[in-house]
Coordinates of all heavy atoms in Angstrom, one line a residue:
Chain B
V32 N -11.7 26.1 -8.9 CA -12.7 25.2 -8.4 C -13.6 25.9 -7.4 O -13.0 26.6 -6.5 CB -12.1 23.9 -7.8 CG1 -13.2 23.0 -7.2 CG2 -11.2 23.2 -8.8
T33 N -14.9 25.8 -7.5 CA -15.7 26.5 -6.5 C -16.5 25.4 -5.8 O -16.9 24.4 -6.3 CB -16.7 27.5 -7.2 OG1 -17.5 26.8 -8.2 CG2 -15.9 28.6 -7.9
Q34 N -16.7 25.7 -4.5 CA -17.5 24.8 -3.6 C -18.5 25.6 -2.9 O -18.2 26.7 -2.4 CB -16.6 24.1 -2.7 CG -15.6 23.1 -3.3 CD -14.9 22.3 -2.3 OE1 -13.6 22.4 -2.2 NE2 -15.6 21.5 -1.5
T35 N -19.7 25.1 -2.8 CA -20.8 25.7 -2.0 C -21.5 24.7 -1.2 O -21.6 23.5 -1.6 CB -21.8 26.4 -2.9 OG1 -22.3 25.5 -3.9 CG2 -21.2 27.6 -3.6
P36 N -22.0 25.0 0.0 CA -21.6 26.3 0.7 C -20.2 26.2 1.3 O -19.6 25.2 1.3 CB -22.7 26.3 1.8 CG -22.9 24.9 2.1 CD -22.8 24.1 0.8
R37 N -19.7 27.3 1.8 CA -18.4 27.3 2.4 C -18.5 26.8 3.8 O -17.5 26.2 4.3 CB -17.8 28.7 2.4 CG -17.5 29.3 1.0 CD -16.3 28.5 0.4 NE -15.2 28.4 1.3 CZ -14.3 29.3 1.4 NH1 -14.3 30.4 0.8 NH2 -13.3 29.1 2.3
Y38 N -19.6 27.1 4.5 CA -19.7 26.7 5.9 C -21.1 26.1 6.1 O -22.1 26.6 5.4 CB -19.5 27.9 6.8 CG -18.2 28.5 6.7 CD1 -18.0 29.6 5.8 CD2 -17.1 28.0 7.5 CE1 -16.7 30.2 5.7 CE2 -15.8 28.6 7.3 CZ -15.6 29.7 6.5 OH -14.4 30.2 6.4
L39 N -21.2 25.1 6.9 CA -22.5 24.4 7.1 C -22.5 23.9 8.5 O -21.5 23.3 9.0 CB -22.6 23.3 6.1 CG -23.9 22.8 5.6 CD1 -24.8 23.9 5.2 CD2 -23.6 21.8 4.4
I40 N -23.6 24.1 9.2 CA -23.8 23.5 10.5 C -25.1 22.7 10.5 O -26.2 23.1 10.1 CB -24.0 24.6 11.6 CG1 -22.7 25.5 11.7 CG2 -24.3 24.0 13.0 CD1 -22.8 26.7 12.6
K41 N -24.9 21.4 10.9 CA -26.0 20.5 10.9 C -26.1 19.8 12.3 O -25.1 19.9 13.0 CB -25.9 19.4 9.8 CG -26.0 20.0 8.4 CD -27.4 20.3 8.0 CE -27.6 20.7 6.6 NZ -29.0 21.0 6.3
T42 N -27.2 19.1 12.5 CA -27.3 18.3 13.7 C -27.2 16.8 13.4 O -27.5 16.4 12.2 CB -28.6 18.6 14.5 OG1 -29.7 18.4 13.6 CG2 -28.6 20.0 15.0
R43 N -26.9 16.0 14.3 CA -26.8 14.6 14.1 C -28.1 14.0 13.6 O -29.2 14.4 14.0 CB -26.5 13.9 15.5 CG -25.1 13.9 15.9 CD -24.9 13.2 17.2 NE -25.6 13.8 18.3 CZ -25.7 13.3 19.5 NH1 -25.1 12.2 19.8 NH2 -26.4 13.9 20.4
G44 N -27.9 13.1 12.6 CA -29.1 12.5 12.0 C -29.6 13.1 10.8 O -30.3 12.5 10.0
Q45 N -29.2 14.4 10.6 CA -29.6 15.1 9.3 C -28.8 14.6 8.2 O -27.8 13.9 8.3 CB -29.4 16.6 9.5 CG -30.5 17.2 10.4 CD -30.4 18.8 10.4 OE1 -29.3 19.3 10.6 NE2 -31.5 19.4 10.2
Q46 N -29.1 15.1 7.0 CA -28.3 14.8 5.8 C -27.9 16.1 5.2 O -28.4 17.2 5.5 CB -29.1 14.0 4.8 CG -30.1 14.7 4.0 CD -30.6 13.9 2.7 OE1 -30.4 12.7 2.7 NE2 -31.1 14.6 1.8
V47 N -26.8 16.0 4.4 CA -26.3 17.3 3.8 C -25.8 17.0 2.4 O -25.4 15.9 2.1 CB -25.1 17.8 4.7 CG1 -23.9 16.8 4.7 CG2 -24.6 19.2 4.3

Side-chain angles (χ1 to χ4, degrees):
Chain B
V32 178
T33 58
Q34 292 186 245
T35 56
R37 292 293 311 278
Y38 302 90
L39 208 46
I40 299 175
K41 292 286 187 179
T42 56
R43 280 180 299 175
Q45 287 187 312
Q46 75 165 19
V47 66

